[in-house]
Amino acid sequence: MREAMQRLAAAKWKGLFAALFFGGMAAVGHEPFGLYTVSIVAFAMGLGLVLDAPSWKRAGVLGWMVGTGFFAVQWSWLVNPFLVDIKAHGWMAPFAVILLAGGMALYWGVASALAALVRPALRWVALPIALGLAEYVRAWAFTGFSWGGPGLIWIDTPVAQIAAWIGAYGLGWVTLFFAALIYVAIYSGWLRVGVVAAGVALAGFGFLADQRPLPPTTENVLRLVQPNAAQHLKWEPDWVMTFFERATALSSAPADGREPDLVVWPETSIPALQGQAPLLEERAFRSAAPAPLVAGIQRREGSTYRNSIVYYDAPGEPAWIYDKHHLVPFGEFVPFGNQLAKIGIRGLAQQSGYGFEEGDGPVIHQLPGTLGKALPLICYEAIFPRDIRGAKGRADMILQLTNDAWFGTFSGPQQHLVHARFRAIEFGLPLARAANTGISAMIDAKGNVTAALPLNEAGFLDADLPAPLPPTVYARIGDLPFIVALSALFAGLLAFARRKSVDPVAAPL
């Protein structure tokens, strides 16, 4: 088998297609499939091709193809936003997944090429380290796009709880290291023992992490409103008020048990610019009363538009406003937007010219009574751990308002929910999620979904608010120590690099 893998890695086209295939199969560990065992095996074979590459250039190309397959299958939902307005944006759909997947996979290609410079005996260690560092770069460079990642395949297993120590990115490195270990173990007796030991350690650590006891649920109830506004109808004049009336009716519906202490509407659920339709804002507040209301709205300051969250505890002006600060490139803003708009290139959700303007950053806001402090996030911001760590102080909960109608129904909303669950695990905080078309959910401090509304169903969810856990290790130290440790280790491996034409994995086996 090993000789066959070496031939396949060297075969010009067959090797590329094989790497693309293994990368694509690795993506089925993500929702909606959740086949993490298939993902691990596929990662092992894909990394094996890179390890068996005859040169560092070939290793880079194969690594790029593995990444392209992984991202393309995982991000197949990305065509949906471009189909909402087919006339304006439909032409972009064929390029959306291919270009983004191939572009992001370049980080994997560079990492694979660099790992191939390490001496053969240690190349299987260097490759997952390099790919792990590439994932950090992907999450930060050019505002970052950290959707997905190898570590997220563990969400419904105890292994996911390891993210409370090292975060989802660190768990991604652990995942790739385990996959590389499996590949080289096929050819080495002692490494087979190592695979068993690593597997036991991974499962054992996850099991121990999962034993953290959750504190009793608080006495507070949140009502999460899901009006189910299809994106292609959301801003149509004949439908705008229909969805608004639906939201107000859901807000004022009788409770099955305790009355809600807070009502939460999803992103852009008030269909007017803040301050320009005060009667609408007052109707929204009164539909939730006597509970206060948190709702998504757009607002304008001069020529600047913002995607915002408003909090009303009385009629009139909001008690506080949060402006989204981590905007979606080519969605909420376009670089050089005024110029590109002249040739028809506009952000999918932008208002005009440059699109939305970013807010000042993550901010923790006070809620009434025993609800405590909340960190509001809008949609895409929940995929970035740094958008939680960047806030001053510690919240008692995370509030995510989102409009996942952009993402279709197959995989996008499910994967977005997984990100929210990992943020809860990483920071030991409950997360309340109001989504326009779903999946609205209450998530406890260990990432468990305690209550949820399914996709494409109008309704409300009165859910008990879980209590927070003490700050996790990851909440206290973040990613930097792990990045420094991996970088130092990789630099040490490169220092012993040997540019010899040696079989990539023969020496240690």
Side-chain angles (χ1 to χ4, degrees), residues 488-504:
L489 183 55
F490 188 71
L493 292 171
L494 281 177
F496 293 99
R498 296 184 306 174
R499 294 194 180 189
K500 292 183 179 181
S501 181
V502 180
D503 191 285

Side-chain angles (χ1 to χ4, degrees), residues 402-461:
T402 185
N403 177 19
D404 287 5
W406 286 106
F407 303 159
T409 59
F410 178 63
S411 61
Q414 291 90 336
Q415 292 175 9
H416 202 192
L417 177 63
V418 169
H419 276 281
R421 294 173 65 186
F422 264 98
R423 300 298 83 80
I425 295 170
E426 288 169 334
F427 294 92
L429 294 175
L431 189 149
R433 185 174 199 269
N436 175 33
T437 54
I439 304 167
S440 298
M442 183 64 75
I443 302 168
D444 69 23
K446 290 172 61 176
N448 302 306
V449 176
T450 61
L453 283 170
L455 278 169
N456 299 327
E457 179 178 303
F460 67 88
L461 187 68

Side-chain angles (χ1 to χ4, degrees), residues 14-351:
K14 288 183 179 179
L16 297 182
F17 286 123
L20 191 69
F21 172 77
F22 289 135
M25 289 301 295
V28 303
H30 288 280
E31 295 295 331
F33 304 106
L35 302 176
Y36 62 89
T37 53
V38 175
S39 188
I40 286 294
V41 172
F43 270 131
M45 300 305 290
L47 298 188
L49 279 176
V50 176
L51 290 172
D52 278 332
S55 69
W56 66 270
K57 292 181 180 179
R58 182 65 175 176
V61 173
L62 290 173
W64 175 59
M65 292 301 287
V66 171
T68 299
F70 178 61
F71 295 134
V73 171
Q74 184 188 167
W75 299 343
S76 59
W77 59 268
L78 273 169
V79 300
N80 289 284
F82 298 92
L83 302 181
V84 171
D85 186 349
I86 294 179
K87 290 183 179 179
H89 305 117
W91 65 273
M92 302 181 192
F95 306 100
V97 175
I98 297 173
L99 291 181
L100 184 62
M104 292 295 169
L106 288 173
Y107 297 124
W108 284 35
V110 172
S112 298
L114 289 173
L117 300 177
V118 171
R119 59 189 301 181
L122 296 172
R123 211 165 285 171
W124 69 275
V125 177
L127 180 58
I129 292 175
L131 292 174
L133 290 171
E135 284 293 275
Y136 285 114
V137 175
R138 179 169 73 90
W140 283 86
F142 309 108
T143 77
F145 186 69
S146 60
W147 192 290
L152 273 64
I153 66 173
W154 301 107
I155 185 58
D156 287 317
T157 74
V159 175
Q161 300 303 317
I162 297 174
W165 276 264
I166 60 176
Y169 304 135
L171 186 56
W173 169 78
V174 170
T175 302
L176 294 171
F177 178 80
F178 188 55
L181 187 60
I182 289 174
Y183 181 73
V184 295
I186 297 172
Y187 313 114
S188 172
W190 68 268
L191 278 175
R192 289 172 192 162
V193 175
V195 167
V196 174
V200 170
L202 186 65
F205 191 18
F207 177 79
L208 290 175
D210 198 33
Q211 300 310 301
R212 294 177 299 158
L214 284 167
T217 301
T218 71
E219 296 298 320
N220 297 297
V221 174
L222 271 62
R223 174 167 292 190
L224 308 177
V225 172
Q226 183 170 296
N228 193 32
Q231 190 59 42
H232 69 288
L233 299 174
K234 181 174 171 63
W235 300 109
E236 287 294 321
D238 294 338
W239 283 92
V240 165
M241 289 308 297
T242 298
F243 298 132
F244 179 76
E245 298 287 355
R246 186 182 296 172
T248 58
L250 293 169
S251 294
S252 58
D256 294 331
R258 289 176 295 168
E259 292 295 326
D261 300 288
L262 180 69
V263 176
V264 185
W265 286 17
E267 180 183 9
T268 61
S269 50
I270 298 180
L273 292 174
Q274 191 273 319
Q276 295 193 10
L279 292 180
L280 275 185
E281 294 180 62
E282 183 172 347
R283 284 186 60 193
F285 164 73
R286 293 195 182 282
S287 73
L293 173 69
V294 170
I297 196 169
Q298 296 177 9
R299 67 190 195 94
R300 181 178 178 179
E301 293 180 339
S303 61
T304 297
Y305 290 85
R306 299 185 189 273
N307 188 0
S308 305
I309 293 175
V310 286
Y311 168 73
Y312 302 98
D313 58 5
E317 287 296 312
W320 53 258
I321 298 175
Y322 166 73
D323 296 320
K324 186 176 183 182
H325 73 280
H326 203 143
L327 302 177
V328 182
F330 297 96
E332 293 172 310
F333 80 98
V334 175
F336 310 107
N338 284 338
Q339 288 72 31
L340 292 177
K342 296 176 182 178
I343 58 173
I345 297 178
R346 299 169 58 86
L348 298 179
Q350 75 177 70
Q351 291 290 338

